[in-house]
Amino acid sequence: MATNQIKVSRFFIWVLRNSLRLFVPLMTAAVVVTLCELSIPWLLEQVIDEAVSNTIDHDRVNQFGMIMGGVIIVLYLVHHLYVRLQHNMVCDISYQTYRQMYQHLMRQPLSYFKRKRSGEIIHRVTNDTSELEDKLQYLLADLPYETMVVFGVLAMMLYLDWTLALIVFTFLVFTSILSSRIGRPLPTLERRVQLLGARFANRLQEVLQGIRTVKAFGKESEETLRLDEANANRVKVKRSSGRVESFLLPVFDLMEILGVVLVVWYGAHLILKGQLTPGGLVAFIAYMEILAGPVSRAGKYYRHWLEARAIAQRILVFLDDSDYQARDANIRRRQQDKGEIKYVVFDHVGFAYPGHPRQVLSDIKFHAAKNEIVAVVGRNGAGKSTIMELLQGFYRPTQGRIVVGRYDLRAWDEISWRQRLATMSQDVFLFNTTIRENIKYGKADATDEELQAACQAAGVNQLLSRWPKGLDTVVGEKGGRISGGERQRIALARLFLIDPEVIIYDEPTAAMDGEAAKDIARSILKLAQGRISIVIAHQAEMVAIADRVVLVDQGRVIAQGSHERLMQTQDLYRRLFETIEHKSEFNKLMQEVHHKSDALLPS
């Protein structure tokens, strides 16, 4: 607990440090606003006492009236500046907090996102930061200003009459103790509301992401009931919080009225005794009205502090939860460009997922060279996708090494490596923007000529008539407005545009029919020229274009060679591909591979 408090203190120190350039002017403006507010009751006292005196001086009354008008104008202008500074400061803190959180997310490897729920992550980043904005609005802006007001008002009250000030002070202490006891459950209830809100958001996001599955199985009613339950739990706690506030808020109103009654009653006695002037009593009541605001919000400030501390703890836990590991300083080299990549080698690679002792891969050993297409095949769960994730740098081998060019992959800068690597999967992800922007995602500065050449090579130009606005057609969320085959064409155009040296294909034709799969296979043959191509394959088309096949089973390479050799020597391979051996389209593609023209792979 003490450690958490230290961390929270450091968090708020970081907040103040990032807002220092605005915090100092803000405090200066707060001092001026406080002085203006404190001067008005004093001026009221002078005017009233002048009005009830035996010698009425109209000019003096007018002078005080003009001074009060001037003070009000200054108060408005400085308060306007104060509010702007306050808003800008909170915006700066919000920006920096958001930035810390999404930078943290961008550093994380794939394992982090596999063990975390996306709905909860989004809720933490957006909701917690938004809540922190609201709390800091009070704690870093209103609270310092109102603290100055409280001490200033108490000082003026003591100046006017210390006995009356003592009554007010005692009354305020009693009110604060009462309100803090009534409002004690609120911070816990608010944290509970946040937790249940995160769970509800996560469930809703899962349902929306799997809406096709929900509708396919007719589970709309069941999912609605589950969402109702999560929503009801959240609202139940919210209502409990409302019940506490329903007791708390009227207390402040009642105490404020009671305080005025006591001051007027006792002040009237002081006037009768000649110990206080009528103007002094009016000034005292005016100071009480000024004091009533900060005092009535004292409990709220305390709750905001507790809630801000709880939110800061959640943010710190979020930022501390990381799967990121820095590169080994003994193996990493400074240079970004490591020369031409002529081969990729898996050198006795083993791997186990973090937190799971079972080896997923053991002694994986194969290579892929430039101008070569290597197909990695095997049953579901054999480890093919894990091999590709290691090559992309999403995970690091727990045994052995992956050599890219002349260097261990761990020696590569991640950004530099992924700029020279590209991936195409069966489930192509597209952003909800235009086809043009999706193709240019890997190379935003591509010229129109480069874009057109990539579209022509990938066969995208043949599809333009289907899209009402051509390349400026918006594809919808995850590309839902266009077909799977069209998404694959866009992915291929993206590959042609970025011109990578190494390409990974993860079952790119799995969801395509024979004619479309054949076209994709031919495009991959074109792309393979001058590059290293590794294909995870279950389909005939992908096996047909491969120069070499690597057979994987139970996390091990059990054989590698040509399709014909594996068909003759490996029972598992025959079971995987015997049904396609005599397909005419397969045989045609095999002939294309054995008689590659200059337009395809060089010999």
Side-chain angles (χ1 to χ4, degrees), residues 246-298:
S246 69
F247 284 105
L248 187 62
L249 295 180
V251 167
F252 290 122
D253 294 334
L254 181 62
M255 293 298 104
E256 183 178 350
I257 295 172
L258 184 59
V260 172
V261 169
L262 286 174
V263 168
V264 170
W265 172 76
Y266 187 73
H269 283 287
L270 294 177
I271 292 174
L272 293 174
K273 294 177 181 180
Q275 297 177 3
L276 186 68
T277 65
L281 180 58
V282 171
F284 209 97
I285 294 173
Y287 282 127
M288 277 194 64
E289 287 298 315
I290 294 174
L291 190 63
V295 171
S296 66
R297 290 186 286 271

Side-chain angles (χ1 to χ4, degrees), residues 434-478:
T434 65
I435 294 170
R436 182 189 309 275
E437 292 300 319
N438 273 289
I439 293 175
K440 294 177 67 175
Y441 185 72
K443 189 178 180 182
D445 59 348
T447 64
D448 290 341
E449 291 76 14
E450 290 174 326
L451 179 64
Q452 287 301 321
C455 291
Q456 181 66 37
V460 170
N461 288 345
Q462 302 170 15
L463 306 174
L464 291 179
S465 60
R466 303 185 192 178
W467 300 324
K469 295 183 180 180
L471 294 178
D472 294 318
T473 300
V474 177
V475 301
E477 187 174 1
K478 297 182 180 179

Side-chain angles (χ1 to χ4, degrees), residues 344-383:
V344 169
V345 178
F346 280 74
D347 184 13
H348 301 284
V349 169
F351 177 71
Y353 283 102
H356 297 276
R358 186 179 70 85
Q359 286 284 110
V360 179
L361 301 177
S362 299
D363 198 32
I364 297 296
K365 185 178 180 181
F366 72 92
H367 73 277
K370 190 173 181 179
N371 294 324
E372 185 179 31
I373 300 177
V374 174
V376 179
V377 303
R379 294 179 292 190
N380 289 334

Side-chain angles (χ1 to χ4, degrees), residues 553-571:
D553 192 45
Q554 297 183 357
R556 295 178 178 272
V557 174
I558 60 175
Q560 53 183 305
S562 66
H563 167 73
E564 294 85 351
R565 178 174 175 272
L566 294 181
M567 286 294 293
Q568 294 171 3
T569 60
Q570 296 294 324
D571 291 338

Side-chain angles (χ1 to χ4, degrees), residues 170-288:
T170 303
F171 189 75
L172 291 178
V173 171
F174 171 75
T175 304
S176 299
I177 293 173
L178 180 63
S179 62
S180 65
R181 290 185 66 87
I182 295 175
R184 184 175 297 174
L186 282 175
T188 301
L189 291 173
E190 290 294 334
R191 287 194 295 270
R192 182 69 177 162
V193 168
Q194 293 298 320
L195 176 62
L196 293 174
R199 291 178 180 174
F200 174 79
N202 181 71
R203 185 64 194 175
L204 179 60
Q205 184 173 17
E206 285 183 342
V207 170
L208 294 178
Q209 287 178 339
I211 193 66
R212 290 180 178 272
T213 303
V214 172
K215 289 187 173 295
F217 285 91
K219 296 293 184 179
E220 294 94 335
S221 297
E222 291 184 22
E223 292 299 338
T224 299
L225 288 174
R226 290 180 181 178
L227 289 170
D228 281 344
E229 182 181 0
N231 193 22
N233 290 335
R234 180 186 63 84
V235 172
K236 182 180 178 181
V237 179
K238 194 78 174 175
R239 284 173 177 163
S240 298
S241 176
R243 281 197 298 271
V244 176
E245 289 190 345
S246 69
F247 284 105
L248 187 62
L249 295 180
V251 167
F252 290 122
D253 294 334
L254 181 62
M255 293 298 104
E256 183 178 350
I257 295 172
L258 184 59
V260 172
V261 169
L262 286 174
V263 168
V264 170
W265 172 76
Y266 187 73
H269 283 287
L270 294 177
I271 292 174
L272 293 174
K273 294 177 181 180
Q275 297 177 3
L276 186 68
T277 65
L281 180 58
V282 171
F284 209 97
I285 294 173
Y287 282 127
M288 277 194 64

Side-chain angles (χ1 to χ4, degrees), residues 482-494:
I482 61 177
S483 69
E486 290 170 337
R487 290 197 292 271
Q488 294 287 12
R489 290 291 183 186
I490 292 171
L492 277 173
R494 186 187 291 168

Side-chain angles (χ1 to χ4, degrees), residues 19 59 119 203 242 341 367 395 406 415 533 573:
S19 60
D59 291 337
R203 185 64 194 175
I341 302 174
H367 73 277
Y395 301 97
R406 294 179 296 147
I415 301 300
S533 303
Y573 191 83

